[in-house]
């Protein structure tokens, strides 16, 4: 995990002057330029894009001769095909994500079920040491498998994946976060990790999985893995892929929680940075498909055809049987839960941040150390899950139990553990179960005395601490389930304490506790509210869930940011916040622009372009028209590195410095500029430019974006940041306010808006609010 460093920013590349080749200085910097010293050292900052390995995405649709010609040449059938494919992809994403969700559920329930039944069988024979060896051994094998997949195949698959998806939809293209290898490891690593008994969930990874599926479909397959389809070429651009990945993220939530509406709201509230009504319809259609697929398999699994525990992972935490009646003491208890949830949630976020920083240092030592760390956490989890139930006392089975007591062959509320016949161990009922079943036990209604207060407290402390130290190890791990598990536990604990004066069932208190902890950690409101109500099938709890979410979020915001926002920052991803920092209103766009600026003429020498591409890592270059092509120097447009590479490969060169747009249009089509998928894209090394071609000219007008977004240099930096994010830009041109100056002052990229850069230039503005 690499921390974002202001010395590796998208807007600049710092190099020593002595290292510049004399040819570069002579051929590129032949025009008068201003050199700005950086920190009074012998360094200059070159305006451009993407020296940092974390690239930005091109959500802007360019307007140039090539694109306009392509749109004019499209027939009605092709336009209809494009629209039809959008909906077809939404259908495919929904079907695929739903099937993966079902596969994950059934695999986890059966693998964990086999492990738990083996442990229970040995316990019944009083072979306690062998039972622990079998339990810990199974957990260790599964954990090692998950860690090996992450360490050797796809390190990007570790963790939840929601922060990475959130950053991608914000315009950050982090390396391999949506690659096919990441998808493979995310699916199987999540199964092994959850089945290994870790305090993690498969819900967060499902969001990442849905996004990976959408990306794989939208990019036309993968050249690297020989999975490409020509008829998907329409979607080989960042803008359409962004829409598909938004649908995939929503589908992941719908598949994880069987909450189609909650999935749409999650994508709208938390994941996506850009939204429109047409995308809302397609996202809703995608999640509806997921819901239909899940419903069909739920009916299939209800017949007992899904294996040992196959039904358990596909049903909701139905609490609709409980009577929802509340009074003033209940409202006070709900307010208390909200306050507790906000405080515990902010503390949880703080500790997770510290643990992640520690693990990032440990994980830098190599794959073997990553796996060793996973093994240590697995052993600790197994010791806690098997050892802590010995602290609990045996409880007589209730006479009116709706299920068998104790349970020995199926999942349920009552685990016998070491207890005699007719008794059960309440802590074992929570620890020696899958996380889904443990939540189901905590949310069970009409079972007031099922769990001792001491057992609830022990379980809460254990889950709270294990959830913190488990997140960040090299396995796919979600935060939803650990948070719900801990929240429902202390919610039930508060319900037991308020039992003498409360009318609410303790199972409903568990739901409110889960809601409060979710609000305190993730800082979402609307989407969490709907997800919980869809998950528990009890609309009557809506007012109380809304109240507790609002209180916990407000309390949490007083201390720190949401957990996903903290992880995005910790990973060094240059995320553009919805609201600019207060000190930005004291600065203007010109203040954060550094120079000199590399520009190209409208008709430029091939050698100049090659040297600029070779000696800089920039991704955007302004194109300036000068006499005789214009009366005075003027900004013609903006050209991207990827476009220049395609243009140079097409070799539409001319010996004379003349406009040759028609020649370029004949040699190159708009589809040549389609963005590469997971395979290798066009690079500078792939070009075969002969020595005699260096002094030839190429016309940049056909490919230059003739209408780039521009702001005047005196615009408030806060206002420029809002425009940059809302429009989904990669480059924003800064133009002078007065005439008689060069037509462009510089280029703003997302790294120019990052606090590390701004406060590095102006440390004093931090204190200006």
């Amino acid at each position: 995990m690499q921390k974002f460093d202001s010395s590796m920013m998208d807007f600049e590349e710092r190099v020593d002057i002595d290292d510049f080749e004399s040819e570069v200085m002579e051929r590129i910097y032949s025009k008068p330029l201003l050199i700005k010293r950086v920190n009074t050292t012998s360094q200059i900052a070159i305006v451009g894009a993407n020296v940092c390995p974390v690239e930005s995405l091109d959500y802007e649709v360019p307007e140039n001769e090539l694109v306009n010609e392509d749109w004019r040449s499209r027939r009605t059938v092709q336009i209809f095909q494009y629209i039809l494919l959008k909906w077809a992809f939404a259908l495919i994403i929904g079907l695929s994500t739903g099937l993966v969700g079902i596969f994950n559920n059934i695999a986890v329930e059966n693998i964990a079920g086999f492990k738990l039944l083996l442990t229970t069988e040995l316990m019944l024979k009083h072979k306690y040491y062998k039972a622990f060896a079998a339990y810990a051994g199974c957990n260790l094998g599964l954990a090692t498998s998950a860690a090996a997949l992450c360490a050797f195949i796809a390190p990007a698959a570790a963790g939840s994946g929601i922060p990475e998806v959130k950053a991608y939809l914000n315009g950050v293209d982090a390396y391999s976060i949506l690659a096919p290898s990441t998808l493979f490891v995310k699916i199987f690593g999540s199964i092994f990790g959850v089945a290994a008994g870790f305090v993690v969930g498969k819900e967060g990874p499902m969001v990442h999985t849905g996004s990976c599926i959408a990306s794989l479909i939208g990019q036309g397959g993968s050249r690297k893995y020989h999975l490409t389809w020509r008829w998907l070429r329409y979607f080989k651009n960042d803008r359409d892929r962004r829409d598909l990945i938004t649908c995939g993220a929503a589908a992941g939530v719908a598949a994880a929680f069987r909450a189609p509406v909650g999935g749409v709201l999650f994508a709208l509230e938390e994941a996506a940075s850009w939204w429109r009504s047409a995308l809302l319809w397609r996202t809703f259609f995608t999640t509806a498909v997921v819901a239909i697929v899940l419903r069909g398999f739920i009916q299939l699994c209800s017949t007992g055809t899904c294996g040992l525990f196959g039904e358990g992972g596909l049903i909701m935490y139905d609490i609709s049987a409980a009577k929802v009646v509340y009074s003033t003491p209940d409202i006070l208890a709900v307010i208390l839960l909200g306050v507790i949830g906000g405080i515990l949630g902010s503390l949880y976020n703080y500790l997770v941040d510290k643990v992640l920083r520690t693990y990032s240092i440990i994980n830098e030592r190599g794959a073997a150390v990553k796996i060793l760390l996973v093994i240590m956490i697995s052993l600790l989890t197994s010791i806690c899950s098997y050892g802590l139930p010995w602290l609990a006392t045996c409880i007589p089975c209730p006479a009116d139990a709706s299920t068998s007591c104790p349970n020995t062959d199926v999942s349920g509320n009552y685990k016998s553990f070491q207890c005699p016949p007719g008794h059960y161990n309440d802590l074992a009922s929570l620890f020696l179960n899958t996380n889904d079943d443990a939540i189901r036990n905590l949310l069970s209604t009409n079972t007031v005395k099922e769990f001792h207060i001491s057992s609830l407290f022990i379980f809460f402390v254990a889950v709270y601490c294990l959830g913190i130290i488990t997140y960040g190890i090299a396995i796919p791990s979600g935060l939803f389930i650990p948070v719900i598990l801990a929240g429902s536990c202390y919610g039930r604990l508060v319900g037991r304490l308020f039992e003498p004066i409360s009318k609410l069932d303790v199972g409903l208190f568990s739901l409110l506790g889960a809601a409060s902890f979710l609000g305190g950690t993730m800082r979402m409101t609307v989407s969490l509210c709907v997800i919980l109500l869809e998950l528990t099938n009890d609309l009557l709890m809506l007012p109380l869930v809304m109240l507790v979410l609002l209180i916990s979020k407000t309390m949490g915001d007083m201390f720190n940011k949401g957990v996903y926002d903290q992880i995005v920052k910790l990973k060094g991803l240059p995320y553009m916040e919805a609201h600019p920092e207060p000190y930005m209103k004291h600065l203007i766009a010109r203040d954060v622009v550094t120079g000199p600026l590399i520009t190209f003429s409208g008709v430029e020498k091939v050698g100049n372009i090659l040297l600029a591409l070779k000696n800089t890592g920039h991704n955007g270059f302004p194109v300036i028209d000068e006499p005789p092509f214009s009366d005075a120097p003027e900004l013609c447009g903006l050209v991207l590195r990827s476009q220049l590479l395609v243009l140079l490969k097409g070799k539409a060169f001319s010996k004379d410095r003349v406009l040759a747009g028609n020649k370029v249009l004949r040699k190159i089509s708009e589809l040549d500029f389609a963005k590469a998928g997971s395979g290798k894209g066009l690079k500078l090394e792939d070009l075969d430019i002969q020595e005699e071609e260096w002094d030839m000219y190429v016309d940049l007008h056909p490919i230059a974006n003739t209408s780039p977004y521009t702001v005047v240099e005196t615009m408030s930096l806060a206002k420029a940041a809002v425009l940059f994010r809302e429009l989904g830009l990669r480059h924003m041109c800064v133009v002078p306010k007065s005439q008689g100056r060069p037509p462009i002052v510089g280029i703003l990229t997302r790294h120019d808006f990052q606090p590390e850069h701004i406060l590095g230039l102006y440390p004093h503005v931090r204190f200006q609010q």
Side-chain angles (χ1 to χ4, degrees), residues 531-751:
I531 288 172
L532 288 172
L533 294 178
E534 288 185 288
L535 194 63
T536 55
N537 195 29
D538 195 348
L539 193 60
L540 295 176
M541 288 294 293
L542 176 62
L544 297 182
V545 173
M546 292 173 64
L547 178 62
V548 77
L549 280 171
L550 288 171
I551 295 173
S552 61
K553 182 186 185 303
T554 303
M555 284 296 300
D557 286 337
M558 295 171 61
F559 298 99
N560 50 32
K561 291 186 176 182
V563 64
Y564 293 134
D565 294 322
Q566 289 189 173
I567 296 172
V568 166
K569 183 178 180 181
L570 187 62
K571 286 180 176 289
L573 300 174
Y575 186 85
M576 290 289 294
E577 297 289 350
H579 304 287
E581 296 291 340
Y583 55 75
M584 287 188 180
K585 65 176 179 278
H586 300 291
L587 299 171
I588 59 176
R590 182 182 58 209
D591 292 334
V592 296
V593 171
T594 52
L597 177 66
I598 297 180
T599 65
F600 292 132
S601 298
V603 181
E604 185 61 86
K605 269 191 177 183
V606 173
N608 288 355
I609 297 175
L610 285 171
L611 286 172
L613 295 178
K614 176 183 177 182
N615 292 285
T616 70
H618 308 340
N619 276 306
F621 301 90
V623 178
I624 307 295
D625 262 344
E626 298 173 329
F629 303 111
S630 63
D631 297 333
E634 63 179 26
L635 178 62
C636 172
L638 189 74
V639 65
L640 303 178
R641 168 182 285 266
S642 58
Q643 294 173 329
L644 290 171
L645 291 173
V646 173
L647 185 64
L648 293 176
K649 185 178 182 181
K651 295 191 175 184
F653 306 148
S654 58
K655 293 183 178 180
D656 300 319
R657 192 165 183 257
V658 295
L659 297 175
N662 292 332
K663 183 178 180 181
V664 173
L665 293 176
R666 285 195 301 269
K667 284 201 170 187
I668 300 174
S669 68
E670 199 271 336
L671 289 177
D672 293 327
F673 294 93
K675 185 172 181 178
S678 298
K680 179 183 176 183
L682 186 62
K683 296 182 179 179
L684 187 62
E685 295 78 17
D686 300 328
L687 301 181
D688 183 21
I689 306 297
Q690 304 300 319
E691 185 176 353
E692 62 271 12
E693 294 174 328
W694 275 60
D695 291 323
M696 299 181 73
Y697 293 89
V698 61
D699 188 0
L700 301 181
H701 292 91
I703 65 169
N705 182 6
T706 57
S707 57
Y709 285 96
T710 60
V711 296
V712 69
E713 60 182 340
T714 55
M715 176 181 282
S716 160
L717 189 61
K719 189 175 181 180
V722 172
L723 286 174
F724 193 96
R725 185 184 190 274
E726 293 300 320
L727 295 173
L729 301 182
R730 183 176 189 176
H731 305 100
M732 177 182 280
C733 298
V734 181
V735 297
K737 185 177 182 180
S738 58
Q739 296 182 354
R741 298 168 55 191
I744 182 168
V745 175
I747 296 178
L748 290 176
T749 66
R750 65 175 49 244
H751 293 287

Side-chain angles (χ1 to χ4, degrees), residues 4 52 54-56 170-172 568 572-576 750-751 754:
F4 176 77
C52 178
V54 179
E55 295 195 0
S56 298
N170 187 258
V172 179
V568 166
L573 300 174
Y575 186 85
M576 290 289 294
R750 65 175 49 244
H751 293 287
Q754 298 303 308

Side-chain angles (χ1 to χ4, degrees), residues 111-129:
I111 295 173
F114 171 80
K115 173 190 70 178
L116 294 173
L117 288 178
L118 176 62
T119 305
T120 302
E121 182 180 347
L122 292 171
M123 290 288 294
L124 291 174
K125 296 177 181 179
H126 304 290
K127 299 178 179 179
Y128 300 128
Y129 292 108

Side-chain angles (χ1 to χ4, degrees), residues 186-487:
K186 206 72 180 184
I187 294 173
F188 290 96
S190 176
I191 291 172
F192 294 149
V194 176
F198 285 117
V199 184
V200 298
K202 53 186 180 293
E203 286 69 20
M206 271 304 305
V207 176
H208 196 179
T209 298
S211 301
C212 289
I213 292 171
S215 176
L216 183 63
I217 293 171
Q219 69 187 17
S222 170
R223 293 180 186 177
K224 182 178 179 181
Y225 298 99
H226 306 289
L227 298 171
T228 57
W229 301 278
R230 179 173 174 77
W231 52 276
L232 299 181
R233 63 188 182 275
Y234 297 116
F235 294 86
K236 285 182 176 287
N237 62 82
D238 290 327
R239 188 183 181 90
D240 283 317
R241 287 184 196 171
R242 173 189 61 187
D243 292 352
L244 291 174
I245 290 169
T246 303
C247 293
V253 175
F257 294 107
R258 204 181 134 197
V261 179
V264 175
L265 293 175
F266 175 84
L268 173 61
E269 181 180 6
E270 180 67 13
S273 298
W274 188 85
W275 199 263
R276 69 180 191 277
S277 58
L279 181 59
L280 176 66
W281 279 102
R282 273 189 287 142
T283 307
F284 184 70
F285 172 71
T286 306
T287 58
V289 172
V290 173
I292 293 171
V293 172
L294 291 179
R295 184 62 187 174
F297 273 85
I298 286 175
Q299 293 181 347
L300 177 64
C301 289
S302 63
T303 61
T305 57
C306 293
L308 289 170
F309 283 29
E311 183 182 351
L314 288 173
I315 62 175
M316 298 185 298
Y317 308 133
D318 196 334
I319 60 171
S320 58
K323 188 176 181 181
V324 182
V325 178
Y326 47 89
S327 57
T328 301
D330 297 308
I331 300 297
L332 296 176
V334 170
I335 294 174
L336 176 63
L337 276 176
V339 173
I340 293 174
I343 295 173
L344 290 177
S346 59
L347 177 62
Y348 191 89
N349 292 356
Y350 173 80
L351 295 175
V352 165
D353 181 77
K354 296 301 180 184
V355 169
L356 286 176
R357 292 178 186 274
T358 304
Y359 285 171
S360 66
I361 299 172
I362 296 174
N363 290 335
E364 287 176 356
R365 300 183 178 180
V369 177
K370 291 182 181 180
I371 297 174
L372 181 61
L373 178 61
V374 172
I375 290 173
M376 293 174 59
I377 300 298
S378 175
L379 289 175
L380 177 62
T381 304
S382 298
I383 291 171
C384 291
S385 299
Y386 189 85
L388 290 178
W390 291 93
L391 302 177
T393 57
C394 295
I395 303 174
C397 290
D400 57 345
S402 57
T403 59
S404 60
C405 179
N407 301 115
T408 56
D409 57 346
V410 293
S411 62
N413 290 35
Y414 308 106
K415 294 290 184 182
S416 61
F417 200 62
Q418 89 289 10
C419 295
H423 294 71
Y424 72 95
N425 187 310
D426 57 347
L427 262 181
S429 301
L430 297 174
F431 277 113
L432 295 181
N433 247 327
T434 63
N435 292 333
D436 287 344
D437 285 330
I439 294 172
R440 188 172 293 105
N441 292 345
L442 289 170
L443 293 178
S444 61
T445 56
N446 301 319
T447 54
V448 179
K449 304 293 185 181
E450 181 181 344
F451 301 101
H452 277 307
I453 292 179
S454 59
S455 297
L456 291 173
F457 180 77
I458 292 171
F459 184 72
F460 167 70
V461 173
V463 168
Y464 190 90
C465 296
L466 288 174
I468 291 170
I469 65 173
T470 303
Y471 190 82
I473 61 176
I475 62 169
S477 52
L479 282 170
F480 269 101
I481 288 300
V483 170
I484 293 176
L485 196 59

Side-chain angles (χ1 to χ4, degrees), residues 128-149:
Y128 300 128
Y129 292 108
K130 287 186 177 180
F132 173 71
Y135 180 74
C138 290
N139 286 345
L140 197 60
L142 292 168
T144 305
S145 300
L149 287 174

